[in-house]
């Protein structure tokens, strides 16, 4: 059903435990920042509107403002999260699978940042490469699915569209496999090596996409379980805030579930998919035919 060994993926998580803890601190910290911002905003709004007859509405709008502030900060910090957290973890995972000894503790995090900086001197370069890769992978998905829609089978067009949406969601961590190729090959030109990595991905599309979809469904099933488990405690916490801010419980619980998924489940999926990708492309060279197909299908690839 799948082509990776979950035991090896879990072992990789254990070997890169300092980075897993680092991710937990970052993403759970983001979730706590949402709670604090909503609570403080609600308190201020409640106080400002208490002189009128709608302090509950004031609490809601204050909480909404606090939520927006944290969301804006997270949007502007996304380049640095990719550079310092996600790319760094990919770097040490690659070295682990290549059998290299990894430093422990904080030294592992510093080592990972040095490896990423060697490949991508500036955050903007890595972020630019990552944005292009996501666009190209979407174009590849559309190209493959468009072939299915040409077949005269009733309902196949709708099914292909649904599958394409699932594949696009799986790109949230599939693009990091391309980054892993960049780091593993120690490329000095991330644009050229990303191009080769994408062609190799396309050559092995079926096996990689199959595993990516399975891992996606696994992650979301576990995330749903996490959400259900933490919904009641989060509701009790939000009930302590003034006014109608307790209604934020559902959204805050979703954010905590997202934080735990991003901190723990995504690197597990990346470690599993890394096994599949590097095994599939072993001994292969980029096929010029796929180069032409991707060139025709995506301006980002060109």
């Amino acid at each position: 059903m799948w082509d990776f060994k979950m035991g090896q993926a879990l072992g990789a998580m254990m070997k890169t435990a300092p980075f897993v803890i680092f991710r937990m601190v970052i993403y759970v910290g983001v979730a706590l920042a949402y709670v604090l911002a909503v609570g403080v905003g609600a308190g201020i709004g409640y106080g400002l509107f208490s002189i009128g007859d709608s302090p509950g509405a004031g609490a809601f709008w204050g909480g909404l403002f606090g939520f927006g502030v944290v969301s804006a900060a997270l949007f502007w910090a996304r380049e640095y999260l990719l550079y310092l957290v996600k790319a760094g973890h990919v770097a040490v995972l690659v070295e682990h699978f290549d059998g290299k000894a990894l430093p422990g503790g904080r030294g592992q995090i510093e080592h990972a940042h040095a490896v990423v900086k060697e490949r991508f001197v500036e955050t903007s370069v890595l972020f630019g490469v990552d944005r292009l890769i996501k666009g190209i992978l979407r174009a590849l998905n559309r190209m493959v699915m468009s072939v299915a829609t040409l077949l005269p089978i009733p309902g196949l067009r709708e099914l292909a569209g649904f599958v394409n949406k699932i594949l696009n969601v799986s790109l949230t961590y599939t693009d990091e496999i391309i980054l892993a190729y960049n780091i593993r090959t120690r490329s000095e030109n991330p644009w050229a090596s990303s191009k080769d990595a994408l062609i190799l991905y396309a050559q092995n599309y079926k096996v990689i996409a199959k595993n990516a979809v399975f891992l996606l469904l696994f992650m979301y099933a576990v995330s749903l379980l996490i959400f259900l488990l933490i919904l009641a405690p989060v509701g009790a916490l939000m009930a302590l805030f003034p006014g109608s801010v307790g209604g934020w419980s559902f959204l805050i619980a979703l954010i905590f579930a997202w934080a735990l998924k991003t901190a723990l489940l995504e690197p597990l999926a990346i470690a599993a998919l890394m096994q599949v990708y590097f095994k599939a492309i072993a001994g292969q060279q980029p096929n010029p035919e796929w180069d032409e197909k991707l060139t025709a299908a995506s301006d980002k690839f060109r």
Side-chain angles (χ1 to χ4, degrees):
M1 189 176 187
W2 55 83
D3 303 282
F4 58 86
K5 295 179 180 179
M6 185 60 80
Q8 287 186 6
L10 290 169
M13 293 283 283
M14 293 293 291
K15 287 292 185 180
T16 60
F19 233 101
V20 173
I21 295 171
F22 181 55
R23 292 177 74 116
M24 282 285 291
V25 170
I26 295 295
Y27 290 108
V28 173
V30 169
L32 290 173
Y34 272 110
V35 173
L36 182 62
V38 169
V40 171
I44 294 173
Y46 189 88
L48 291 175
F49 281 73
S50 62
I51 57 177
D53 58 354
S54 56
F60 173 79
W61 289 110
L64 185 62
F65 178 78
F67 184 88
V69 168
V70 177
S71 297
L74 189 61
F75 177 82
W76 288 110
R78 68 196 191 283
E79 287 189 29
Y80 296 95
L81 288 175
L82 173 66
Y83 193 79
L84 298 176
V85 182
K86 293 187 176 183
H89 202 177
V90 168
V92 290
L93 284 171
V94 167
E95 294 198 346
H96 165 70
F97 282 120
D98 283 347
K100 297 180 181 178
L102 297 175
R106 185 177 177 84
Q108 186 177 114
I109 298 170
E110 294 172 350
H111 171 70
H113 291 166
V115 172
V116 174
K117 191 172 183 178
E118 184 181 358
R119 305 272 74 78
F120 304 92
V121 178
E122 298 178 356
T123 59
S124 59
V125 174
L126 174 57
F127 190 69
V129 170
D130 185 69
R131 294 295 93 187
L132 288 176
I133 288 170
K134 278 185 168 66
I136 296 162
L137 289 172
R138 288 191 183 93
L140 176 60
N141 289 340
R142 286 195 302 270
M143 181 170 62
V144 173
M145 288 298 104
S146 65
V147 173
T149 61
L150 297 176
L151 299 176
I153 301 176
L156 189 59
R157 181 182 297 274
E158 290 74 15
L159 178 61
F162 176 70
V163 172
N164 188 46
K165 289 179 181 178
I166 294 177
L167 288 170
N168 283 337
V169 174
S170 74
L171 300 183
T172 54
Y173 57 93
T174 304
D175 61 311
E176 291 171 50
I177 304 305
I178 308 301
L179 171 61
Y181 180 91
N182 269 300
I183 293 172
R184 192 185 199 193
T185 57
R186 308 189 70 82
S187 168
E188 295 183 359
N189 185 339
W191 309 98
S193 57
S194 294
K195 178 181 176 181
D196 289 344
L198 284 160
I199 295 171
L200 291 168
Y201 176 92
Q203 290 172 202
N204 300 277
Y205 182 84
K206 287 184 179 179
V207 64
I208 298 170
K210 176 189 72 173
N211 286 274
V213 169
F214 173 80
L215 288 164
L216 176 73
L217 296 176
F218 167 77
M219 281 198 304
Y220 276 87
V222 177
S223 298
L224 176 61
L225 179 61
I226 292 171
F227 168 75
L228 294 174
L229 289 173
I230 66 176
L231 183 58
V234 169
L237 175 63
M238 298 306 292
L240 299 175
F241 295 125
S244 59
V245 75
W248 287 86
S249 301
F250 188 85
L251 183 57
I252 296 297
L254 277 177
I255 291 172
F256 271 102
W258 162 82
L260 293 173
K261 177 183 78 70
T262 307
L264 298 175
L265 298 178
E266 278 192 12
L268 180 65
I270 291 166
L273 202 59
M274 206 178 284
Q275 296 176 47
V276 177
Y277 179 75
F278 287 129
K279 180 180 178 181
I281 69 170
Q284 294 185 9
Q285 295 296 323
N287 189 325
E289 291 184 10
W290 268 111
D291 192 341
E292 293 175 4
K293 289 179 182 178
L294 289 172
T295 298
S298 172
D299 58 340
K300 292 181 174 61
F301 187 81
R302 290 192 292 274

